[in-house]
Amino acid sequence: MLSVAMQVIRNFTKEFDDVKHMSRLLLSALEEVKEEEIQEKIGIFARHEFEWDYFIDLKKPFLSLVRQVCTGEIPVSSAIDAIKSFLDGLESEPQNWPD
């Protein structure tokens, strides 16, 4: 039983790290993108196959943000603020996480 629990913890931790990593990659791309490169440099995130089982609820908002930047619905600066806020939340102490 302990090995099953350890495997779940390992998988959760790996996925949590992937969520943070992809968010940091998106943030970096947003901070460096030129207007004429948005479709190419940001749109790539919409085509990425996210294997998030524990964080599946984050996939839709993440992809929605990418789509909104690519279609011009929201400015890049707003997306940068949103991703920074999201990362701050992920990296905060667990007692500060929402229920």
Side-chain angles (χ1 to χ4, degrees), residues 9-26:
I9 291 169
R10 224 176 279 126
N11 290 343
F12 179 88
T13 302
K14 182 178 180 218
E15 189 170 312
F16 183 71
D17 289 342
D18 188 55
V19 169
K20 290 191 302 185
H21 177 70
M22 291 305 296
S23 298
R24 286 186 192 116
L25 286 176
L26 178 57

Side-chain angles (χ1 to χ4, degrees), residues 14-15 18-19 21-22 25 42-53 55-56 58-60 62-63 66:
K14 182 178 180 218
E15 189 170 312
D18 188 55
V19 169
H21 177 70
M22 291 305 296
L25 286 176
I42 304 304
I44 190 89
F45 288 91
R47 294 182 294 277
H48 180 76
E49 290 295 323
F50 296 95
E51 296 181 21
W52 297 349
D53 297 322
F55 296 93
I56 193 73
L58 299 178
K59 182 178 176 180
K60 187 174 180 180
F62 187 93
L63 293 175
V66 169

Side-chain angles (χ1 to χ4, degrees), residues 30 65 68-69 72-80:
L30 288 166
L65 180 74
Q68 289 174 330
V69 169
E73 292 176 60
I74 62 171
V76 170
S77 59
S78 294
I80 289 171

Side-chain angles (χ1 to χ4, degrees), residues 1-11:
M1 184 66 177
L2 184 58
S3 71
V4 172
M6 291 302 292
Q7 185 63 37
V8 169
I9 291 169
R10 224 176 279 126
N11 290 343

